[in-house]
Amino acid sequence: MSDTEDTLNGGRVYDPEADHAFPDEKLNEVLPALLDDEEVTTLLEAQNVNAVTRKGYNDHGPKHIEIVLNRALRLYDLLKAGGCEFNGAAEQGLDEADEAVIIALAAQLHDIGHIVHRDNHAYYSIPLASDVLDRFLPEFYGLADAVRIKAEVLHAILCHHREEDPLTLEAGVIRVADALDMERGRSRIPYEKGGRGINTLSSRAINNVVLKPGEESPVLVEIEMVNAAGVYQVDNLLKAKLDGSGLEDHVRIVAVNTKSDDRLVERIEL
């Protein structure tokens, strides 16, 4: 599937006007304000300084967050269409419409701890995100619901790294969506600066990632590799984050090496 086709079927950009498998009115109210929030947009720019400028790591700035946000919402939509029941908002007594809000907020804020340090950044994200949410949520929720939304967002943020196990499917979506930003554009900054680490080289090997309805599971992730280095992204990063996410039985991964002169690895199915 081409990038254009993927965009048209909703695979890359969340379209508030499209039909979704979940109630989207609350998300469509909250999301424009979130994307236009000056503090949040500044945090997204600032978080790349430690990650890229000082550590030479892959992009963790506004582009990464944009991709994770859209893929998280795409993943959530496909899971809902496949009949998956989410537990985070429900167990807090919140509405089904709040599931997508939790996912969007967590996706947007999950990496802001990078402004403190790349190492252990998920833990630094918690107090920073807490302050943002205390300011932001009262515009859309009463006090009790704002506290519960905040609790679920912080849980999802903390669990996007493998050190903590997600206890909700909303958190599992964030964890997997974070790893789905794996295409060659992810490595453009360190690669242009001369970075040749395994994260950079392996992401250069991933040409395209498509999320679509699956036949054997609600979600099929199709990955196009152009050389075998992409196996690191698929196995060591994406599969590692899928394991323990709560989504293992709902997501199938197929990676294909499309470069005819490199047949060290032709196909991976997970």
Side-chain angles (χ1 to χ4, degrees), residues 145-211:
D145 284 351
V147 169
R148 294 179 183 278
I149 292 281
K150 174 182 170 180
E152 294 306 307
V153 172
L154 295 182
H155 174 72
I157 289 173
L158 185 65
C159 296
H160 84 272
H161 264 206
R162 284 176 284 168
E163 288 81 359
E164 307 291 346
D165 293 329
L167 303 178
T168 69
L169 286 191
E170 288 93 330
V173 165
I174 298 302
R175 178 163 156 157
V176 173
D178 187 41
L180 285 170
D181 180 15
M182 62 193 310
E183 290 149 307
R184 58 191 298 116
R186 180 79 195 276
S187 64
R188 68 187 181 280
I189 300 174
Y191 189 84
E192 289 170 359
K193 290 186 175 183
R196 297 297 185 270
I198 184 60
N199 281 290
T200 298
L201 295 177
S202 61
S203 62
R204 297 282 296 179
I206 303 295
N207 196 47
N208 196 29
V209 177
V210 176
L211 279 67

Side-chain angles (χ1 to χ4, degrees), residues 19-139:
D19 292 330
H20 298 114
F22 60 90
D24 59 11
E25 294 83 1
K26 194 67 178 181
L27 174 65
N28 292 340
E29 178 187 0
V30 171
L31 190 56
L34 178 64
L35 296 177
D36 196 42
D37 188 276
E38 184 178 6
E39 181 183 10
V40 173
T41 55
T42 304
L43 283 166
L44 302 190
E45 294 169 357
Q47 71 194 33
N48 233 12
V49 175
N50 279 331
V52 175
T53 306
R54 295 170 180 162
K55 295 281 284 185
Y57 206 73
N58 283 6
D59 177 27
H60 281 76
K63 188 62 179 178
H64 168 63
I65 298 303
E66 176 188 342
I67 292 169
V68 172
L69 171 64
N70 282 289
R71 291 203 166 149
L73 292 173
R74 171 65 169 164
L75 180 58
Y76 171 66
D77 199 13
L78 290 170
L79 290 166
K80 294 289 282 189
C84 294
E85 294 187 5
F86 281 67
N87 63 308
E91 290 170 355
Q92 290 283 4
L94 295 164
D95 294 334
E96 182 184 5
D98 296 322
E99 295 170 356
V101 174
I102 291 166
I103 287 169
L105 288 167
Q108 196 75 354
L109 299 173
H110 75 277
D111 268 346
I112 60 175
H114 277 91
I115 70 166
V116 180
H117 205 288
R118 161 66 192 171
D119 300 341
N120 298 314
H121 70 273
Y123 301 96
Y124 299 131
S125 292
I126 296 301
L128 293 166
S130 179
D131 287 348
V132 170
L133 294 168
D134 284 344
R135 173 183 58 78
F136 183 82
L137 286 173
E139 182 179 346

Side-chain angles (χ1 to χ4, degrees), residues 212-223:
K212 60 198 297 187
E215 295 181 1
E216 301 173 11
S217 59
V219 182
L220 173 62
V221 179
E222 291 185 341
I223 300 168

